[in-house]
Amino acid sequence: MRSAKDFFAPLAVGAPTPVTEVPARPSRMIHFFDPSNPKMAAKVPDMVGVSDVLLGNLEDAVVADKKEAAREGLVQIAKDVDFGEHTQLWTRINSLDSPWVLDDLTRLVTEVGDQLDVIMVPKVQGPEDIHYIDRILAQLEAKGGVQRPILVHAILETARGMANVEEIAGASPRMQGISLGPADLAADRRMKTTRVGGGHPGYLVRQDPAKGLDGAPDYTGERSVFQQDLWHYTIARMVDACAMHGIFPFYGPFGDIKDTVACEDQFRNAFLLGCVGAWSLHPVQIEIAKKVFSPTAEDVAHARRVKEAMPDGRGAVMIDGKMEDDASFKQCMVVLELAERLSANDPELATMYEEA
Ligand SMILES: CC(C)(COP(=O)(O)OP(=O)(O)OC[C@H]1O[C@@H](n2cnc3c(N)ncnc32)[C@H](O)[C@@H]1OP(=O)(O)O)[C@@H](O)C(=O)NCCC(=O)NCCSC(=O)C[C@](C)(O)C(=O)O
Ligand SMILES: [Mg+2]
C-alpha cells in the first residue's frame, strides 16, 4: 500500500500530477464504436455533442485481425475530430493478458494522450491491475509530454474483480469509475444466462398459492410471478465501492438492441441505485440513456421546493403531506446538483428544468 502522502505524487518523472478529485463531467452514455469499422468511424464527428462520451473500442467485438486497424483508426479520429468541451473521448484497451495491450497503451498515450480523457480497462481482477496501469500510464505520459493525467475506468467482469471491487475503486487517484460487464461476469461466475445484461424470465418470485375450498393451498390455481433483477446485488455493491472512493458507477451494456423498453427499465434501475450512466452499443440507446440519466422535471421541481422550504438544510417540514428533513434535503441536493451539471451542457434540459 502506498503512503497516503505519496498517493498524489506522479509515478514517473515528468508525468502530470494526479487529480485530487475526479471531475464530475456529464457521462450519461458511453457510446461504443469500432474505429476499424468505416461506417461507424464516419459517424463519430456527427455524434460529438450528441453523446456525452464517445469510446473507441479496441477489445471484445473487434476481431483479432482488425486490432491494429482499430488502434490506428482511433489515433486518426483523435487527431482529426474536435470533440469540443462537452463530449469526452475514451477508449477500451485490450485486456492486460492480451498480445495487443502494450501497443494499445504505447501508441495511444504517446500519440494522442492529450485527447484521451479516460482509458477503460477490461477484466480487472484486483488493485494490482490498476497499479500496473497507473505506473505504465505515468511513464508513457512523461514520454509523450501529456499535460493532464489520463483517468482510468475498470470493468467489473470477473468473480475475483467483484470480490476486490472496493480495493479496485481505491487503487489509484486515476480511478474515474467502474462499469458492470454483465456478459463476461456471467460467464466467469458460471451464471446460466446467455443474455448481455438485462433480466431473465427464469429469475423470479412466485405468489403464494391461494387456499382451496378445504382451506389447503391450491397448487393448481393461477399465481402471479414477479421477475427479479439478476444484477441487483452486483450493481448495489459496485455503487457503494464507487461512492466510498469518490468515483462514478455505471451500468454496462444492454445487448437486446431492439428491446428499447427493457433497456430503459434496466438503465433506470441502475440510475435509481446510484449509477451516473450506461453504455450505448447502438445509436438508438443514446437517447434512452439521455432520458433515463437526466433527472425528471418533476423531481427537480420537488427538490427545489424542499430547498426553498429549508434554505439551510436543517429541521423538519411538511410538503404535500410528506415529512422532509436534513436527510431528504441531502437527497434533493443530489438531484439539483446533477440537474445543474447537465444543464450547463444541454440547453434543452436547462429550459425544461427552468420551466419545471
Ligand atoms: C450491435 C451491432 C452489431 C448492430 O449493428 P447493425 O449494423 O446490425 O445495426 P443497424 O441497426 O443495421 O445499424 C444502423 C446504422 O447505424 C450504424 N451503427 C450501428 N452501431 C453503431 C455504433 N455503435 N456507433 C455508430 N454507428 C453505429 C451502422 O453502421 C449502420 O450505419 P449505416 O446506416 O450507415 O449502414 C452494432 O451496433 C455494434 O457493433 N455495436 C457495438 C458493439 C460493441 O461495441 N460491443 C462491445 C461492447 S459490449 C461488451 O463488450 C460486453 C462486456 C461489457 O465486455 C461484458 O459484459 O463482458
Ligand atoms: Mg467483456
Side-chain angles (χ1 to χ4, degrees):
M1 196 178 75
R2 266 193 278 171
S3 153
K5 71 179 169 43
D6 294 334
F7 197 64
F8 293 101
L11 286 176
V13 175
T17 305
V19 292
T20 49
E21 195 171 334
V22 181
R25 299 182 65 183
S27 309
R28 293 164 293 180
M29 70 296 292
I30 303 170
H31 180 75
F32 270 58
F33 66 92
D34 172 354
S36 75
N37 177 326
K39 270 191 186 173
M40 281 195 203
K43 290 192 170 55
V44 169
D46 291 339
M47 292 177 130
V48 172
V50 175
S51 183
D52 294 339
V53 176
L54 287 165
L55 180 146
N57 178 33
L58 307 183
E59 201 226 9
D60 293 356
V62 176
V63 292
D65 62 3
K66 288 280 173 62
K67 293 289 186 188
E68 278 174 36
R71 187 190 300 137
E72 290 313 311
L74 183 57
V75 167
Q76 211 49 52
I77 287 169
K79 285 184 174 171
D80 294 348
V81 178
D82 179 1
F83 286 84
E85 267 179 57
H86 299 324
T87 295
Q88 304 168 56
L89 177 64
W90 295 20
T91 185
R92 176 170 78 169
I93 55 172
N94 284 288
S95 61
L96 297 181
D97 60 355
S98 76
W100 305 290
V101 65
L102 195 57
D103 288 339
D104 291 346
L105 286 165
T106 309
R107 181 89 178 114
L108 288 171
V109 178
T110 58
E111 201 64 25
V112 290
D114 276 322
Q115 278 72 51
L116 277 179
D117 293 289
V118 176
I119 290 184
M120 188 182 267
V121 185
K123 302 175 178 73
V124 171
Q125 299 275 18
E128 66 280 6
D129 288 343
I130 303 300
H131 297 158
Y132 169 78
I133 284 286
D134 202 3
R135 178 75 74 173
I136 196 164
L137 279 182
Q139 292 167 341
L140 292 169
E141 284 168 345
K143 186 176 159 80
V146 176
Q147 296 300 304
R148 60 187 175 135
I150 298 171
L151 301 182
V152 169
H153 184 108
I155 318 180
L156 202 53
E157 44 189 359
T158 66
R160 187 149 90 79
M162 189 67 219
N164 291 326
V165 64
E166 291 82 11
E167 289 94 297
I168 291 169
S172 157
R174 286 186 198 273
M175 281 300 297
Q176 177 273 347
I178 300 183
S179 285
L180 168 69
D184 269 302
L185 183 56
D188 195 63
R189 279 177 170 165
R190 307 284 187 268
M191 288 168 71
K192 305 303 181 295
T193 168
T194 54
R195 299 170 175 210
V196 177
H200 193 290
Y203 194 70
L204 52 81
V205 169
R206 190 177 302 271
Q207 188 185 26
D208 279 2
K211 289 209 167 56
L213 291 174
D214 59 356
D218 172 12
Y219 295 112
T220 62
E222 281 283 310
R223 292 150 73 180
S224 304
V225 293
F226 307 94
Q227 200 172 311
Q228 305 291 297
D229 182 359
L230 272 176
W231 302 105
H232 178 82
Y233 153 76
T234 309
I235 295 175
R237 183 161 170 205
M238 175 181 77
V239 167
D240 281 345
C242 289
M244 165 179 161
H245 287 286
I247 70 171
F248 301 108
F250 293 72
Y251 175 76
F254 189 88
D256 193 344
I257 309 287
K258 297 276 180 228
D259 195 350
T260 51
V261 175
C263 176
E264 182 172 332
D265 293 338
Q266 179 76 68
F267 283 8
R268 187 165 290 104
N269 287 350
F271 175 66
L272 291 171
L273 278 177
C275 291
V276 301
W279 298 12
S280 147
L281 302 184
H282 186 279
V284 75
Q285 294 183 333
I286 293 179
E287 276 310 308
I288 303 173
K290 194 169 183 175
K291 177 179 171 195
V292 170
F293 290 97
S294 309
T296 62
E298 292 74 32
D299 281 345
V300 171
H302 172 75
R304 265 203 217 114
R305 284 183 69 199
V306 173
K307 193 178 170 198
E308 277 157 21
M310 303 172 59
D312 69 349
R314 298 278 147 88
V317 294
M318 278 284 267
I319 296 181
D320 298 336
K322 296 190 184 80
M323 187 278 300
E324 305 287 350
D325 69 354
D326 306 43
S328 65
F329 174 89
K330 286 182 205 154
Q331 290 174 273
C332 291
M333 291 309 288
V334 169
V335 170
L336 286 180
E337 278 164 18
L338 177 58
E340 217 166 87
R341 237 183 346 261
L342 296 177
S343 300
N345 279 15
D346 187 333
E348 243 176 69
L349 265 187
T351 310
M352 184 177 97
Y353 293 146
E354 256 166 44
E355 290 169 357

